[in-house]
Amino acid sequence: MTIWKSAKFSAVTLAAIGLAILSPPSSAQVPLKILGFDDMSCQAWTASKDDTDQRAIYLSWMRGLLTGHNYARPSQQVSTISSGTIDQYVSRYCREHPQGRFDDAAFRLSDQFSGRNSAITK
């Protein structure tokens, strides 16, 4: 009897193949889906400095992101934080990373203010 005809081998092989196909990919393989703005660049953030309405929309979105962080990680919640603190943090981040994205600044902010102090893996 060849190995291919062995019922035991076939069942184990089929089970392994089935698990491989049906298993969800690891989190390292799944890209983070950012539901945000068409332009999330630091240039867009910096340009909104004198547009109070646009800046308020960006800040509101970031507060939602931080709330989402709290929902996803109840044991590592972002403490109470003012919109002014968020504005200053993101502005500083964008000065230091002019080619960066302000959503990355918001993620770093959640790291710092939640006590995690480790980067969020995307």
Side-chain angles (χ1 to χ4, degrees):
M1 178 182 298
T2 68
I3 197 164
W4 296 108
K5 291 183 181 178
S6 167
K8 184 176 181 181
F9 177 81
S10 297
V12 170
T13 302
L14 288 175
I17 292 170
L19 284 174
I21 292 171
L22 296 176
S23 296
S26 71
S27 62
Q29 296 173 340
V30 178
L32 180 64
K33 292 182 173 119
I34 308 284
L35 306 178
F37 303 93
D38 291 337
D39 186 358
M40 306 239 337
S41 68
C42 277
Q43 291 94 349
W45 170 263
T46 302
S48 73
K49 181 179 180 181
D50 295 324
D51 185 344
T52 56
D53 291 336
Q54 185 63 47
R55 185 58 68 99
I57 292 168
Y58 287 159
L59 288 169
S60 180
W61 179 84
M62 287 182 206
R63 293 182 75 75
L65 182 137
L66 295 171
T67 299
H69 169 100
N70 287 351
Y71 178 79
R73 298 185 177 270
S75 65
Q76 294 177 316
Q77 301 226 1
V78 174
S79 59
T80 302
I81 187 170
S82 71
S83 291
T85 299
I86 296 170
D87 190 313
Q88 289 175 354
Y89 187 97
V90 175
S91 293
R92 183 177 61 246
Y93 179 92
C94 284
R95 276 193 307 278
E96 294 171 0
H97 304 91
Q99 300 305 313
R101 295 171 44 103
F102 66 80
D103 58 318
D104 286 334
F107 289 131
R108 300 298 71 82
L109 181 73
S110 74
D111 292 341
Q112 183 176 345
F113 282 81
S114 69
R116 282 169 33 123
N117 287 324
S118 62
I120 294 174
T121 55
K122 291 185 179 180

